[in-house]
Amino acid sequence: MLQRKVAFIDLSKEKVVVQNISKELRKKHLGGRGLNWYYIYNNVTPEVEPFDPENLLVIGAGFLTGLPTLGSGRTQISTKGPMTRGVGDANMGGAFGPELRYAGFDHLVIKGKAKEPVYLFVNDGMVEIRKANHLWGLDTYEVQKALKEELGDERVESMVIGKAGENKVYFANVMNNIKNAGGRGGTGAVMGSKNLKAIAARGMMDLQIYDVDNFIEYALQMNQQVLSTKWARTLSRLGTPLLYDVSYTTGFIGTMNWQYNTPGKEGEPLEAEYLQNYIVKHTACMGCSVHCRHRVKIEKGEYAGLVTEGPEYTMMGSFGTLVGCYDWDLVIKGNDECNRWGVDNLSLGAVIAWAFELYQREIITEKDVGFKLEWGDKDAVLKLARMIVEREGIGDVLANGFIEAAKKIGEDSLYYAIQVKGHPDLHTDERGVPSFALGIATSTRGADHLRSRPAIDLFQLPEDFLEKLIGYKIKSDFTAYETKGILVWWFELYFNIVDSLGVCKFQSTFNCPHCPQYDEYVPLLKYATGMDFTKEELIQIGERNYTMERLFNIMNGMSKKDDYPPERFFKEPNQRGLPFMKGRKLDPEKYEEMLMEYYAQHGWDENGNPKKETLERLGIEEPKPNFPEVE
Amino acid sequence: MAEKYEARCLNCRKRFEVEKGAEIAECNHCGSKWRISWVTPEQPKVQGPA
Amino acid sequence: MKAKTFVIDPDKCTGCKDCEMVCSLYHERVLNPVRSRITVIRDPLNGIEFPTVCMQCEDPVCVLVCPVNAIYIDENGAKVIDYSRCLGCRTCVITCPLGGALIDPVSGKTIKCDLCGGDPVCVKFCSTKAIEWIDVSIANQKIKRASLNRYLEALKRSK
C-alpha cells in the first residue's frame, strides 16, 4: 500500500515527473481528499483562476481504496472550482480509483493545458499523454467504450468528461462507468478547460497488504458489521431513493424551488417502493458488499426500452420535487441524460428550478427562454437541461452557475437561488433542521450534504449513546441549535477521514450509528498498510485536512459572511409537512450562537479564521510550492 | 415464538411494533398512522402517510 | 463426504469484485484481481456482471490432457495443480471449455481454483450469494426452485 506513487503531469509542457509518497505525508494527511488538498494548498496561489492552465486538477485514490471492504472503490477529484472560486472537490465511486492503484499510482497532479484534446493512459507505473481529437464530442458512455477498444483491454477503467465538461459548464462532472460521478464542485469543467477528455487506467501491479491473514478476516468482519444494520439492508433494496420516503413525509424536501418543503400527497408516485417496478438488477462499486445501485429498465411509455443505472435520491429532487414533476420515468430518463452529458444533476436541478421560479415571478419571461417554464412541464425541464449543457440561449447564462448568472439576470434573483458560496444545494430543505443548515453553510465546497451532514441527528438517539459516539454531550432533539456546532464539527473531521481513506460514506456512521468508524479504521489501517494510527491521531488528521481546505477558501477571499445558509431559510417558514415541521424556519440569533460554537470547537476565531495556536498545533505552515520543475 | 417487527415512526422518531405483513400501522407512542413497506419479510419501514 | 458444487447466479452478481480481490490475496498474498482464480466479467456499460470459475468437473478434461499428470484431485474434490510437475504448457488452459484454468499474468504460472482447502474464500465474501459452495442435493433443489420462480414470473407477465 505504501509503494503507490504520485505523478506530476504538465499538459502544456507534455512532461511527467513521478515521485514517491513519504510515510510522513501519510501520517499527516492519509491520502485521497487529504493529500489532494495538500498538493493544491501548496501550489495553487490566489491569483490563479479556475480555468487558468496554472490551476491544478488532482486525482487521488484513498489510502484504503481498492480493498474488498467498506465500499472502497472511491476516487477524489479536487481543484480550484469555478462556482465558488475556492475548494472544488468531488468524491466518485465505481472502479477507477482501484484501477489507478493497480496501475501504480495513488495521485495524479495535473497542471497546464494541452494544445489539443488529449487523454492520459496510466499503465503499470507510467503515464502517457495521448491524442484525443477522435474522442472529443463523444458522450461519457461512448468515450469509455472507445477507450476500452482502443487500448484493447476490457478491464480499462476511465474517468471522463462529456459534453458538459467540454463546454465548461460550471457544474460539469467527471464520470466513471454509467453513473459514478465526481459530481459537485465543477471538476469536469476544469478538466475540460485543460483539453483533457479522459484518464484511462489499467494495471497489473501487486498491491502489498501488510498482514494478509488478519486483513482477510477483519475485512470480512467489517462487511458483516455493515450488512447486519437495518440501514444497509434498506439501502441494498431501495438505494438512496429510500431517503425520499422520510423527507417528503416529514417535510424537508425542497419543492418547486424550495417554495415548499414537500409536495405532500402529490409526491406519492415517487415513493421508493415504486422504483421496484423498474429494477432489473442490483449493482455495486468495486469493494462494496452493500450494492446500493440499480440497473433499471423503462418498459413502457415515451422512454420505453431505456436500460440504465440509477437514479439516486438527488435526481428525485432535481427532475422531481424541485420542478413539480412526480414521475419515475422522467427521473430515470433525465438521470441517464445527465450521466451521458457528465453534469452534476444536483446543481443542474437547482439551477433549473431557480429558472422556473424566476419565470413564475416574471423576472425572466418566455421571450428570454424561448418557451414557457411551468411547474410540472417535463418537456420544459429536459429542454432547458439540454440548453444548459449545450450552452444555447439562456442556457449559456445558467451554465455559469448562480453567481455569474445573477449578474446577468439581476442581483435580486439571487434570493431565490438556494446556494452557499455560489454552490447549489442538494434538494433537501434544511430550514427545519439546524445541524443540516450549519453543515451546508460551513461546507468547504459550498452548499453540500456530504461534507458533514449528521443524518443520524434525525433519529433522536439517546444522549448517552450520542456522547459515547461523539465524545461530547449532544442534544438528542434535532430541532435544537445548542451543541449542534460540535456535532457538525465532528462530522466534518470524520467525513474528511472517510474521503481520505477512500471508503464509502454509506458504510460509515453517516446514516447509521452502528457502521464502522475510527475504532474500526485503526486495525484496518494496521493490517492493510502496516502503519500505526490511534483514533486521536486520525481525528487530528481530519482536523488538519479540513483546516487546510478552510485556509484555501480564506486565501481565495471567503470569510464568515460565506458561512450562512440561504436567506430564504431565515425568512420564509415551512408551510407543509408533519406538525412539528410546519412553521419552522431558521432563527438568526440561535444560528449565530451555533456558528460561534462551531468556530470555537475548530479553534477558529469569531471571524472563522483559524487561530495561530490551532495552526501550530496542527503543524500547518504557509503554502510552499512543490510541483517539480519540468523543462 | 412470535417475532417482533419494528419500524421507526417519522413523527416521534421512536420505534413501534408492526404486525407481520401489515400495509398500514399505527405508532403506539404518538398515534401517527403510516403506510408500511417491507425491506425484507422481517424488516418493515414507513413508506408514507396513511 | 457429501459431494459439493458451486452454484453461480449471475443475476445476483453486483460486480463488486470482492471475490477476485480476496482470491488473489489468499493465494498470492498480494491484492491483484488479474491474479485471481475466479474472474468476474464486469462490464456495466453493457449491463454485464458475470462470475466465472473452475466448476471442478466430474470428468475433468484438464486432468486428462495434462502431459505430466500435474493435476491431482484432493480430498475435497478440488482439481489442484502440483507445481513441482507443472510445465506451464497451457494445455489445460486451452482445452477447458469453461475458462476454469488461467495464466497468472505476473508470474506466468498456470493457475486454477483449488477450493482454498474446502472453504472457498470468494464464497465467504460474496454478500449476495451469487456464488455458493453447497451440497449437491441442496444445489439441485435450489436450481429447481429458481426454474420454478422463472416459470411463475413468466406466467405473471403473460397474463
Side-chain angles (χ1 to χ4, degrees), chain A residues 80-139:
Chain A
K80 178 170 175 176
M83 278 179 290
T84 71
R85 299 160 61 82
V87 169
D89 200 30
N91 184 277
M92 175 175 80
F96 180 81
E99 202 58 48
L100 183 66
R101 299 198 99 182
Y102 303 137
F105 293 93
D106 270 0
H107 290 266
L108 307 175
V109 183
I110 303 164
K111 187 166 101 168
K113 179 183 177 178
K115 285 180 206 71
E116 50 186 341
V118 294
Y119 76 91
L120 297 177
F121 181 42
V122 187
N123 180 224
D124 288 344
M126 112 220 147
V127 180
E128 223 180 293
I129 303 170
R130 295 183 170 207
K131 284 205 187 334
N133 304 69
H134 60 300
L135 303 173
W136 203 257
L138 296 185
D139 76 30

Side-chain angles (χ1 to χ4, degrees), chain C residues 2 20 26 31 33 40 45 54 69 75 90 94 102 105-106 111 125 131 137 148 152 155 159:
Chain C
K2 279 190 191 167
E20 287 188 7
Y26 183 86
L31 211 157
V40 174
L45 293 163
C54 165
N69 293 325
E75 67 275 17
R90 322 298 190 209
I94 294 161
L102 306 162
V106 176
I111 54 173
F125 271 76
I131 178 161
S137 61
L148 171 67
L152 292 175
L155 208 61
K159 271 182 185 166

Side-chain angles (χ1 to χ4, degrees), chain A residues 230 233-234 237 245-246 248-250 268 271 273-274 458-460 478 578 580, chain B residues 6 8 10-13 15 34-35 37-40 43 45-49:
Chain A
K230 288 191 172 182
R233 282 198 293 267
T234 313
R237 173 174 157 84
D245 296 357
V246 185
Y248 110 97
T249 305
T250 311
E268 203 179 302
E271 283 172 0
E273 200 55 34
Y274 301 122
L458 293 179
F459 301 161
Q460 314 241 86
F478 76 77
L578 294 176
F580 68 88
Chain B
E6 285 186 326
R8 193 183 285 279
L10 294 185
N11 186 47
C12 70
R13 309 275 147 178
R15 289 197 184 277
W34 304 114
R35 275 181 297 119
S37 61
W38 292 78
V39 173
T40 68
Q43 192 182 324
K45 73 176 267 298
V46 168
Q47 180 175 344

Side-chain angles (χ1 to χ4, degrees), chain B residues 15-27:
Chain B
R15 289 197 184 277
F16 65 101
E17 211 172 311
V18 180
E19 236 175 84
K20 188 173 174 67
E23 286 177 15
I24 300 220
E26 190 176 307
C27 170

Side-chain angles (χ1 to χ4, degrees), chain A residues 287-308:
Chain A
C288 171
S289 54
V290 175
H291 61 79
C292 71
R293 35 207 48 213
H294 306 119
R295 180 164 299 130
V296 292
K297 183 175 182 188
I298 300 183
E299 295 278 4
K300 41 186 190 275
E302 201 180 336
Y303 315 123
L306 175 67
V307 180
T308 184

Side-chain angles (χ1 to χ4, degrees), chain C:
Chain C
M1 190 202 76
K2 279 190 191 167
K4 286 190 158 195
T5 182
F6 277 126
V7 174
I8 293 174
D9 184 350
D11 284 346
K12 289 185 186 162
C13 177
T14 65
C16 77
K17 287 192 178 258
D18 276 5
C19 55
E20 287 188 7
M21 289 188 261
V22 288
C23 179
S24 66
L25 257 183
Y26 183 86
H27 290 98
E28 305 297 338
R29 318 303 287 173
V30 291
L31 211 157
N32 194 347
V34 291
R35 307 185 68 181
S36 168
R37 277 81 179 140
I38 182 168
T39 306
V40 174
I41 298 167
R42 180 186 195 273
D43 183 5
L45 293 163
N46 292 304
I48 295 166
E49 294 84 16
F50 195 94
T52 64
V53 69
C54 165
M55 292 300 287
Q56 312 295 347
C57 301
E58 194 55 24
D59 190 4
V61 69
C62 55
V63 173
L64 201 71
V65 299
C66 181
V68 290
N69 293 325
I71 302 176
Y72 64 95
I73 303 174
D74 79 358
E75 67 275 17
N76 304 302
K79 284 70 194 176
V80 183
I81 300 174
D82 176 355
Y83 286 108
S84 67
R85 288 170 170 242
C86 177
L87 302 170
C89 71
R90 322 298 190 209
T91 310
C92 57
V93 179
I94 294 161
T95 51
C96 175
L98 303 179
L102 306 162
I103 306 165
D104 179 335
V106 176
S107 68
K109 286 194 305 193
T110 300
I111 54 173
K112 68 174 294 305
C113 171
D114 63 0
L115 297 174
C116 305
D119 191 10
V121 69
C122 55
V123 171
K124 285 195 234 176
F125 271 76
C126 185
S127 68
T128 61
K129 296 196 160 85
I131 178 161
E132 294 183 283
W133 175 245
I134 50 178
D135 286 348
V136 169
S137 61
I138 294 171
N140 285 341
Q141 283 172 31
K142 278 203 170 213
I143 291 161
K144 281 177 196 161
R145 175 59 70 174
S147 105
L148 171 67
N149 287 343
R150 275 197 297 274
Y151 169 71
L152 292 175
E153 189 62 31
L155 208 61
K156 216 166 80 187
R157 275 173 197 241
S158 68
K159 271 182 185 166

Side-chain angles (χ1 to χ4, degrees), chain A residues 253-485:
Chain A
I253 185 163
T255 303
M256 294 162 82
N257 196 43
W258 288 269
Q259 296 184 82
Y260 305 100
N261 55 314
T262 172
K265 190 142 183 57
E266 222 187 323
E268 203 179 302
L270 280 183
E271 283 172 0
E273 200 55 34
Y274 301 122
L275 182 61
Q276 296 297 315
N277 300 329
Y278 299 86
I279 295 171
V280 180
K281 193 179 184 184
H282 295 278
T283 63
C285 297
M286 253 184 100
C288 171
S289 54
V290 175
H291 61 79
C292 71
R293 35 207 48 213
H294 306 119
R295 180 164 299 130
V296 292
K297 183 175 182 188
I298 300 183
E299 295 278 4
K300 41 186 190 275
E302 201 180 336
Y303 315 123
L306 175 67
V307 180
T308 184
E309 281 183 35
E312 301 283 341
Y313 176 56
T314 58
M315 200 60 190
M316 302 174 72
S318 294
F319 282 33
T321 60
L322 283 183
V323 285
C325 297
Y326 309 103
D327 177 0
W328 271 116
D329 281 15
L330 176 72
V331 173
I332 292 168
K333 171 66 178 171
N335 189 56
D336 187 61
E337 292 287 327
C338 286
N339 289 340
R340 285 180 182 274
W341 292 326
V343 68
D344 174 26
N345 61 36
L346 284 79
S347 303
L348 178 71
V351 169
I352 289 174
W354 178 57
F356 270 61
E357 188 172 352
L358 297 183
Y359 180 88
Q360 174 197 317
R361 296 181 184 279
E362 297 175 3
I363 297 172
I364 58 173
T365 62
E366 193 176 344
K367 216 178 112 209
D368 299 317
V369 184
F371 48 95
K372 292 188 173 76
L373 297 180
E374 278 164 0
W375 302 111
D377 184 342
K378 296 170 203 169
D379 292 335
V381 173
L382 277 174
K383 217 163 145 184
L384 188 59
R386 186 183 305 276
M387 282 170 69
I388 291 171
V389 171
E390 302 279 0
R391 283 188 172 275
E392 272 169 28
I394 197 169
D396 189 36
V397 176
L398 298 172
N400 289 350
F402 286 134
I403 304 289
E404 303 238 336
K407 283 181 192 159
K408 296 237 165 98
I409 294 169
E411 296 291 338
D412 291 351
S413 66
L414 213 48
Y415 174 82
Y416 305 105
I418 301 305
Q419 52 83 23
V420 178
K421 301 179 173 75
H423 196 257
D425 195 12
L426 170 72
H427 60 281
T428 318
D429 190 320
E430 287 87 0
R431 79 192 96 184
V433 190
S435 63
F436 287 19
L438 180 67
I440 64 162
T442 59
S443 152
T444 48
R445 67 177 172 187
D448 189 73
H449 56 293
L450 291 169
R451 303 303 257 199
S452 70
R453 176 152 297 174
I456 58 166
D457 201 16
L458 293 179
F459 301 161
Q460 314 241 86
L461 298 164
E463 293 190 354
D464 51 345
F465 181 89
L466 282 173
E467 188 173 352
K468 230 177 122 195
L469 185 72
I470 307 293
Y472 290 85
K473 281 203 189 315
I474 303 292
K475 287 214 156 158
S476 175
D477 176 7
F478 76 77
T479 62
Y481 291 75
E482 302 80 18
T483 69
K484 298 303 158 94

